Amino acid sequence: MGNFGLGQAIRRVEDQRFLTGTGRYTDDISVPGQLYLYVLRSPHAHADIKSIDAGTAKSAPGVKLVILPEDVKDLGRIPAAMIPPGPDGKPPANPPLRPALAQGRVYYVGEPVAAVVAETLAQARDAAELIEIDYDERPAVVTMRDAAKPGAPVIHPDQAPGNLLVHWSLGDKAATEAAFAKADKVVSIDLINNRIAPTAMEPRAALAEYDAAKDRMTLTQGSQGSHKLLDWLTKAIFKIPREKMRVISPDVGGAFGMKNFLFNEPILCLVAAKKLATPIKWTGDRSESFLNDAHGRDQINHAELALDKNGIILGLRVSSMGNVGAYVSAFGAMIPTMAGCAMLPGAYRMAAAHVDVKVMVTDTAPTDAYRGAGRPESAYVIERLIDKAARELKISATELRRKNFIRSDEFPFKTALGHKYDSGKYEELMDKALKRADVAGFEARRADARKHGKLRGLGISYYVEACAGGQGEQPHLTFGKDGTLTIIIGTQDNGQGHHTAYAQIAADAFGIALDKIVVKQGDTDEVPTGVGTGGSRSVPIGGSAVKQTILKMIDNGKQIAANLLEAAPVDIEFDEDAQGGGKFKIAGTDRAVPLGDVIAASYDDAKRPSEQKAGLYAAEAYAPAGATYPNGCHVCELEIDEDTGEIAFVNYTIQDDLGNAMNPLLMEGQILGGAVQGLGQCLHELAEYDASGQLTTGSFMDYTMPRADSTPRFDFAYTEVPTPNNVLGIKGAGEAGTIGATPAVANAVIDALAPLGVSHLDMPMTPLKIWQAIDGAKSGKAA
């Protein structure tokens, strides 16, 4: 294994470059002669565009081009990758899709209406202010509840009658109704899963170029997968052959789902670049990000749990609404339905479950996947419901969970909503977390805190999620003559540490140093294929694909080594732990040839088998046998100041099962970062529109983010329970922390307020909202 093998907590090889300021993000890239694009956006949530006068803008200083809706009307619309079927088993035939520029009508504040290209960004911005647009405002429908009311204004009458895009369901309704009919106890809860903005550290940006001689466009843009963008741009937008475009994704400063999608601005840059035969650059500012990036979450849930007299869960019934916004984004309609609802049973055994979801259209920015993409919403529902059921049954929440956990000897386990869980030790993990958090001593700590005017609460969640299944990857690996290994793969690093992870797999397998490994991603001219990054798939799937390709390279090496050692290939074995580096040797002897010599021989046509390529080249396609199901227990202990509603974290314990731990340091970083985003949604974040459709939290002055001083010190540990569904035994870790944190923190807040008679709060649980609940309880108006 060596110092850099699997299981070692090595630091990221990328960090030196990033921390010393030599990362290369889209906005860092400039080319000679580039012009700047600025987007003029709608100030209205719903309005007809009666006329546009851009005459003055076109003659403004430095202006080279003004793009109006009529200039892009023949382009295809930004596609929806997947829309769930309705009751007839078919998805909507004509969903409302986002145009490059609004066509005749605007549907949300911030929708692009025109674009200006000029020599400087300031000139483009100034000229945009000279464009005169005559709007005829229409009534806006901002919330799902308003959109569903009889007589509400209909946003897309032909595409979403009654503002309903699709009504989707999952599960056995008859069996679920039967389970509820025989229940001794039914517990219900109503929840709001608040809309949030993705707020990646690096705003979106694009640089478009056009080669007139080759009639070929190039787009440089931070993303979660260049090939997906390439497909959408060539097939859906410009309708050109794939070879007529190149997409490059350089370093990416955070993505969280949002950079998986195609947006208006890169399309406009490409249009301008081709029109002017000049490079065009656009970089969004933070206000533009709030207005036009795909928001996350935004669901309303009503959930019911049926239990028998012993507290055993019989069935689960959930009815939800999910907001896709004004247009259907790539996976926007999938997130509140197919992406997460099947995880509603959580870690619990139940015979029946049914969920139905109404996917609604509103005059707000489109929504789509945000870290966890439907699974955090489902975990929040079931874990809030479990805690409420425990209170009504007058038993501890841990006891109720323990009664209903799927046992370790029941895996693989098929749930009532169809998932086949791979492996887990739920009760064991919960017990470890409870012990480490000293839950046994909590009531004494609560009593002591009360003496000092503090309300102490303990919140527990047990999450399980589905990730890292589906499509595979095909990496391309080759050794150079100098022994440097190059890994070309179609995933995309957004800050997770892919270069380290893939290099660590290769270093472990070949017995070579990390600095002899180069990882390349993001350029569709260089990377032949790729699904990209999302759904915690990159290391479980991409890493497994790298491992499989390495095994093929070793097989190639055995054939060459056999020639060098004058032996049969079947007698050759590879020792990655050999002193001085990996060696091929004849089994049972001390006759060996170093890896470097075999690599050198691979460049000699006389020594390399004719069917092989130089450098031991291999490119093995790999797809997992199924999804992985990471799971774990979060225990949050916090205090609330009764006079102000302010929260202070006391302790936060996480015990996770993420399968085999390839790099514990990278794994912990993913979990803690995700947990901060989860508590951010629970306590702080809200993308809120007023009744007219204006975004009232459109900057960091109003949109509250978690900060270091409002974040707990996490106590993280893990238990390795390998998955059988990929060759590395790894379960996805990229979203797990987010999924477990939100319900744990919410349950802790409710537990702290429970002695006052407060039984419910919706997110974000801000100090003001908490203080109002406390005040209401004291005045006899507790929730």
Side-chain angles (χ1 to χ4, degrees), residues 159 430-431:
Q159 298 162 298
M430 184 177 74
D431 286 341

Side-chain angles (χ1 to χ4, degrees), residues 82-98:
M82 186 173 291
I83 298 179
D88 61 356
K90 300 177 183 178
N94 183 31
L97 302 178
R98 193 187 322 214

Side-chain angles (χ1 to χ4, degrees), residues 324-634:
V324 294
Y327 298 104
V328 184
S329 184
F331 304 102
M334 180 185 172
I335 302 307
T337 54
M338 303 162 72
C341 281
M343 295 308 301
L344 279 163
Y348 310 106
R349 196 187 314 104
M350 58 186 71
H354 183 264
V355 54
D356 79 89
V357 182
K358 292 181 178 179
V359 181
M360 307 299 296
V361 175
T362 63
D363 287 307
T364 59
T367 63
D368 212 309
Y370 176 76
R371 196 169 191 170
R375 288 102 71 204
E377 295 92 316
S378 291
Y380 186 69
V381 169
I382 187 64
E383 290 305 293
R384 284 289 304 267
L385 188 54
I386 287 287
D387 258 39
K388 186 175 183 186
R391 288 189 188 282
E392 292 194 12
L393 292 170
K394 294 181 171 54
I395 62 174
S396 75
T398 56
E399 182 183 347
L400 184 58
R401 287 181 172 89
R402 198 182 306 278
K403 281 175 179 283
N404 291 284
F405 272 152
I406 300 164
R407 298 190 306 271
S408 59
D409 61 356
E410 294 181 294
F411 292 98
F413 183 89
K414 188 172 182 180
T415 73
L417 290 178
H419 270 293
K420 187 178 180 181
Y421 291 2
D422 51 359
S423 62
K425 298 180 179 179
Y426 300 165
E427 186 172 5
E428 178 184 321
L429 264 70
M430 184 177 74
D431 286 341
K432 286 180 177 180
L434 297 178
K435 183 177 181 180
R436 288 171 48 230
D438 187 22
V439 170
F442 170 72
E443 289 301 334
R445 296 194 297 275
R446 187 206 290 267
D448 185 63
R450 196 74 190 95
K451 296 175 184 177
H452 299 88
K454 306 292 184 182
L455 300 169
R456 180 135 343 171
L458 183 77
I460 297 169
S461 74
Y462 201 101
Y463 78 92
V464 57
E465 66 132 332
C467 63
Q471 294 173 280
E473 290 286 346
Q474 185 176 20
H476 297 251
L477 277 68
T478 187
F479 278 105
K481 289 182 179 180
D482 64 351
T484 297
L485 175 67
T486 298
I487 300 173
I488 296 174
I489 189 166
T491 56
Q492 181 62 51
D493 198 332
N494 312 145
Q496 298 93 336
H498 290 185
H499 291 68
T500 302
Y502 296 145
Q504 199 168 355
I505 293 168
D508 180 79
F510 285 121
I512 60 177
L514 289 175
D515 61 9
K516 297 292 287 183
I517 302 168
V518 175
V519 177
K520 294 184 178 182
Q521 299 175 306
D523 186 340
T524 58
D525 273 7
E526 193 171 51
V527 183
T529 60
V531 176
T533 291
S536 303
R537 69 182 301 277
S538 291
V539 175
I541 297 177
S544 292
V546 168
K547 178 67 174 179
Q548 290 293 89
T549 302
I550 288 170
L551 295 177
K552 176 61 176 175
M553 295 179 78
I554 290 173
D555 283 343
N556 291 344
K558 287 178 179 179
Q559 295 181 53
I560 296 173
N563 291 335
L564 297 177
L565 293 169
E566 299 180 333
V570 70
D571 294 327
I572 302 297
E573 61 185 28
F574 183 71
D575 182 5
E576 70 275 11
D577 289 326
Q579 183 144 5
K583 293 180 180 179
F584 292 89
K585 66 180 184 179
I586 301 174
T589 76
D590 59 358
R591 293 184 60 204
V593 59
L595 172 62
D597 289 359
V598 173
I599 293 168
S602 77
Y603 281 89
D604 185 336
D605 292 345
K607 297 178 180 178
R608 183 185 72 242
S610 59
E611 69 274 12
Q612 284 192 30
K613 293 182 180 180
L616 307 184
Y617 169 84
E620 293 293 291
Y622 172 83
T628 71
Y629 294 86
N631 59 89
C633 185
H634 287 225

Side-chain angles (χ1 to χ4, degrees), residues 26 205-209 216-235 238 240-250 259-262 266 270 492 521-528:
T26 304
L207 175 63
E209 300 170 83
R216 192 171 194 242
M217 293 183 280
T218 297
L219 173 66
T220 300
Q221 173 191 326
S223 76
Q224 292 179 233
S226 298
H227 289 86
K228 196 177 296 170
L229 294 178
L230 179 64
D231 286 341
W232 287 335
L233 286 165
T234 55
K235 295 177 183 178
F238 293 102
I240 58 176
R242 204 170 190 268
E243 61 269 18
K244 290 295 184 180
M245 183 172 290
R246 176 188 187 187
V247 177
I248 303 169
S249 187
K259 289 181 184 171
N260 229 334
F261 321 124
L262 180 60
L270 288 164
Q492 181 62 51
Q521 299 175 306
D523 186 340
T524 58
D525 273 7
E526 193 171 51
V527 183

Side-chain angles (χ1 to χ4, degrees), residues 142-369:
V142 178
T143 70
M144 288 181 282
R145 288 196 174 105
D146 285 344
K149 288 178 180 177
V154 180
I155 300 168
H156 300 288
D158 297 330
Q159 298 162 298
N163 299 315
L164 176 66
L165 177 71
V166 66
H167 190 177
W168 175 88
S169 63
L170 178 68
D172 189 329
K173 187 174 183 179
T176 303
E177 295 300 327
F180 274 80
K182 65 181 182 181
D184 294 294
K185 177 71 174 178
V186 174
V187 180
S188 65
I189 195 167
D190 290 285
L191 298 168
I192 294 174
N193 209 288
N194 42 317
R195 176 184 281 238
I196 48 182
T199 58
M201 185 177 291
E202 177 207 20
R204 288 187 299 110
L207 175 63
E209 300 170 83
Y210 177 67
D211 185 333
K214 297 180 180 178
D215 185 28
R216 192 171 194 242
M217 293 183 280
T218 297
L219 173 66
T220 300
Q221 173 191 326
S223 76
Q224 292 179 233
S226 298
H227 289 86
K228 196 177 296 170
L229 294 178
L230 179 64
D231 286 341
W232 287 335
L233 286 165
T234 55
K235 295 177 183 178
I237 306 300
F238 293 102
K239 300 177 179 66
I240 58 176
R242 204 170 190 268
E243 61 269 18
K244 290 295 184 180
M245 183 172 290
R246 176 188 187 187
V247 177
I248 303 169
S249 187
D251 289 329
V252 184
F256 312 120
M258 177 267 295
K259 289 181 184 171
N260 229 334
F261 321 124
L262 180 60
F263 290 89
N264 318 68
E265 300 88 357
I267 298 171
L268 297 171
C269 287
L270 288 164
V271 168
K274 185 171 184 179
K275 177 78 171 177
L276 298 173
T278 303
I280 306 295
K281 188 173 187 178
W282 170 81
T283 301
D285 62 29
R286 190 58 68 180
S287 292
E288 290 179 294
S289 296
F290 275 107
L291 289 171
N292 204 46
D293 287 357
H295 292 171
R297 313 293 191 243
D298 204 352
Q299 292 186 21
I300 298 172
N301 313 107
H302 173 77
E304 298 174 293
L305 199 65
L307 304 105
D308 70 10
K309 61 183 179 181
N310 297 314
I312 301 300
I313 298 172
L314 303 176
L316 173 68
R317 189 164 55 195
V318 181
S319 180
S320 300
M321 287 197 290
N323 189 354
V324 294
Y327 298 104
V328 184
S329 184
F331 304 102
M334 180 185 172
I335 302 307
T337 54
M338 303 162 72
C341 281
M343 295 308 301
L344 279 163
Y348 310 106
R349 196 187 314 104
M350 58 186 71
H354 183 264
V355 54
D356 79 89
V357 182
K358 292 181 178 179
V359 181
M360 307 299 296
V361 175
T362 63
D363 287 307
T364 59
T367 63
D368 212 309

